[in-house]
Amino acid sequence: SQKIEQNSEALNIQEGKTATLTCNYTNYSPAYLQWYRQDPGRGPVFLLLIRENEKEKRKERLKVTFDTTLKQSLFHITASQPADSATYLCALPKYSSASKIIFGSGTRLSIRP
Amino acid sequence: KAGVTQTPRYLIKTRGQQVTLSCSPISGHRSVSWYQQTPGQGLQFLFEYFSETQRNKGNFPGRFSGRQFSNSRSEMNVSTLELGDSALYLCASSPGDGNVNIQYFGAGTRLSVL
């Protein structure tokens, strides 16, 4: 069955450094992959989408890569700030239905000043 | 455009009761999905409605049900509540008819079952 794995432990990064989060998946061939940010007690907020034929996508300080051979996506935040502290979720469409989205368990990121 | 609105924000119920949660999607969005989020299980897909029809379903017991109205608003019902149903229930809307599905989430309803 399909499985999505993210760094299970929290990631602590010094302000100003680059944070790198990992999303691995198995038994999938998704047409695209998404990243969301979730703050405590709130719903996730969409950040970026990358398609299977794209290697890299950027938005301001965010960068996402998508390696369909390794079945892995990396999510980078450059020049990290304490305000970037949140849980980050990757998400993929269920193989049999593009409208059904499956989320990873998320990685909690903490940026210390 | 107004975002996704969920009501109520908080609910406290006792075991055996039933509960109905409401979700108003972004104007123009025809798809509404429901998720359950708990610390142990993460974000779990419950079901998705599109144009008043259930289009996808997750692996939850029949106590969890939903419906969608002609204006795309959706309700989710949980009957015979169990302690394990305590969770943050999130709904998300999307246009529903493209080849990508970006989920726009509401703030959620925090359900506590005592």
Side-chain angles (χ1 to χ4, degrees):
Chain A
S1 62
Q2 293 83 1
K3 199 173 178 182
I4 305 172
E5 290 183 345
Q6 296 188 245
N7 309 63
S8 58
E9 297 178 8
L11 196 59
N12 293 300
I13 301 291
Q14 179 76 42
E15 182 177 7
K17 302 290 187 185
T18 296
T20 298
L21 284 64
T22 305
C23 176
N24 294 298
Y25 58 93
T26 56
N27 299 324
Y28 266 108
S29 293
Y32 60 91
L33 183 148
Q34 305 177 55
W35 283 89
Y36 291 76
R37 168 185 171 140
Q38 186 174 23
D39 292 288
R42 308 297 299 244
V45 174
F46 170 75
L47 295 175
L48 279 168
L49 180 149
I50 185 165
R51 298 177 189 270
E52 60 180 338
N53 60 349
E54 298 175 312
K55 296 290 186 189
E56 183 180 295
K57 202 81 169 279
R58 291 176 185 261
K59 179 183 175 183
E60 298 173 352
R61 295 183 296 111
L62 308 179
K63 184 178 87 170
V64 171
T65 62
F66 193 11
D67 189 323
T68 55
T69 301
L70 291 178
K71 294 189 182 295
Q72 181 182 78
S73 175
L74 298 179
F75 177 81
H76 307 271
I77 305 176
T78 58
S80 59
Q81 305 166 0
D84 295 326
S85 298
T87 296
Y88 292 86
L89 304 153
C90 73
L92 301 97
K94 182 78 171 173
Y95 70 90
S96 60
S97 168
S99 64
K100 183 174 178 178
I101 302 297
I102 307 299
F103 284 81
S105 56
T107 297
R108 191 166 72 245
L109 176 66
S110 294
I111 309 297
R112 58 181 187 275
Chain B
K1 252 188 198 179
V4 177
T5 304
Q6 289 189 248
T7 56
R9 287 297 312 278
Y10 303 93
L11 263 180
I12 299 176
K13 292 285 186 180
T14 55
R15 274 186 306 172
Q17 286 187 310
Q18 76 163 14
V19 68
T20 299
L21 313 182
S22 181
C23 174
S24 292
I26 291 171
S27 177
H29 285 188
R30 293 159 64 195
S31 168
V32 173
S33 296
W34 288 89
Y35 297 85
Q36 180 196 67
Q37 188 171 39
T38 58
Q41 297 296 317
L43 202 58
Q44 300 286 310
F45 176 84
L46 280 155
F47 30 66
E48 182 221 4
Y49 286 85
F50 178 78
S51 293
E52 302 179 67
T53 301
Q54 189 180 86
R55 188 161 65 172
N56 286 291
K57 191 176 187 306
N59 299 321
F60 278 81
R63 300 186 297 108
F64 293 81
S65 62
R67 58 178 176 167
Q68 188 180 33
F69 302 95
S70 58
N71 61 358
S72 293
R73 191 177 70 83
S74 177
E75 287 182 347
M76 190 191 92
N77 186 76
V78 188
S79 62
T80 320
L81 284 166
E82 300 176 359
L83 295 179
D85 297 332
S86 295
L88 180 66
Y89 289 88
L90 292 158
C91 91
S93 75
S94 68
D97 54 2
N99 57 6
V100 296
N101 187 9
I102 295 173
Q103 301 283 271
Y104 297 89
F105 284 88
T109 295
R110 172 74 63 185
L111 173 64
S112 297
V113 182
L114 306 177

